[in-house]
Amino acid sequence: MRKCNKNFLVIFILEVQIGFAILVLLMFCISNLEERIKAISYVIGAFASTLITTALVYHSFSQEPELGFTGFLIEPEPITVVKEDYIEYVNGHKQVKHCYSWGFPRKKLLWVKIVECNEPPKYLRIANDITNLGFHETKVHENQIEQTYPKQEGLKPKKLIKPRRMTLIHQERDTMDVKFPLDFFGSELSELKKLIKIGGRLYRLKFTSFGATMHRSKQVWLNISEDMKTIEWSESKFKKLIRWTKSKDNR
């Protein structure tokens, strides 16, 4: 849901509650029927005017551009190692489909996604689309991708800065992706198995897109199984509820 939608939903709820409370007070505080009807008519008119004004302001805000991410997709590479149950075909090309790791209620609450492989992948392609949620166009000037967890003393993953000069119209998408860990560490740690031996199996990546007057960030938790054949990821901020921890077993 867009930020302005959330804000105005709260405003509308408060206005309705206040209006209802005033009407209830008038019903109990004014005993004269004629005066009560006049007072209620006045309140209803003012309440309707307030709602219309709020709706017009909301419509104006909803037209403004707003950057948003559509959701992370992680594809083990080469994709031929992925089990067929986790593959879908889009325009004749293989793609990892969205499968969820756990059932209700955590499936709906934490959105933990999963992909399983027949063999350990060499690296992971991690992607997310940045889109314009507003109706007016906006410009994207720069994309940044960085590893925010864990903070390793011996290894210092570089931040990827990708300059962009593009205009996004309403609901148009631009893909941000990274080859993990190759793009962060270069040839030193080009394959996933080499990184896991040093850094463990739990990581967090942050994607940020910058416009002229706004920016949007999104982070994803990445959990890799010990045999590297199962990859789980979640955009949830509640890592403890997912029970992903940085332990010695993850080394």
Side-chain angles (χ1 to χ4, degrees), residues 30-78:
I30 302 178
S31 57
N32 185 282
L33 180 60
E34 185 176 349
E35 292 181 1
R36 183 189 301 170
I37 293 174
K38 288 181 180 180
I40 292 175
S41 300
Y42 175 78
V43 170
I44 291 176
F47 177 59
S49 177
T50 301
L51 288 179
I52 292 172
T53 302
T54 305
L56 291 174
V57 175
Y58 164 72
H59 181 267
S60 177
F61 272 95
S62 66
Q63 303 299 307
E64 293 299 314
E66 181 181 336
L67 296 175
F69 284 101
T70 60
F72 283 95
L73 178 66
I74 296 181
E75 291 187 343
E77 295 290 344

Side-chain angles (χ1 to χ4, degrees), residues 132-173:
N132 179 15
L133 301 173
F135 288 91
H136 296 319
E137 66 179 32
T138 188
K139 292 185 180 294
V140 174
H141 297 285
E142 183 178 278
N143 292 332
Q144 294 184 5
I145 305 175
E146 60 183 315
Q147 179 186 309
T148 57
Y149 182 90
K151 299 292 185 181
Q152 295 152 331
E153 296 180 1
L155 297 174
K156 295 182 180 180
K158 63 181 179 180
K159 179 189 294 186
L160 301 182
I161 300 176
K162 301 180 178 182
R164 300 288 290 173
R165 294 291 185 272
M166 67 172 300
T167 300
L168 284 179
I169 61 175
H170 177 54
Q171 293 190 351
E172 186 178 13
R173 296 184 178 188

Side-chain angles (χ1 to χ4, degrees), residues 66-73 98 100 111 113 127-133 168 171-176 207 216-218 233 235:
E66 181 181 336
L67 296 175
F69 284 101
T70 60
F72 283 95
L73 178 66
H98 294 286
Y100 293 94
W111 298 97
K113 297 178 182 178
N128 205 333
D129 286 351
I130 187 72
T131 186
N132 179 15
L133 301 173
L168 284 179
Q171 293 190 351
E172 186 178 13
R173 296 184 178 188
D174 181 44
T175 300
M176 299 173 59
F207 283 38
R216 179 67 65 193
S217 296
K218 196 72 174 178
W233 69 95
E235 300 174 30

Side-chain angles (χ1 to χ4, degrees), residues 92-106:
H93 297 282
K94 283 186 176 182
Q95 177 179 302
V96 172
K97 63 183 179 181
H98 294 286
C99 297
Y100 293 94
S101 177
W102 295 325
F104 184 84
R106 287 185 292 180

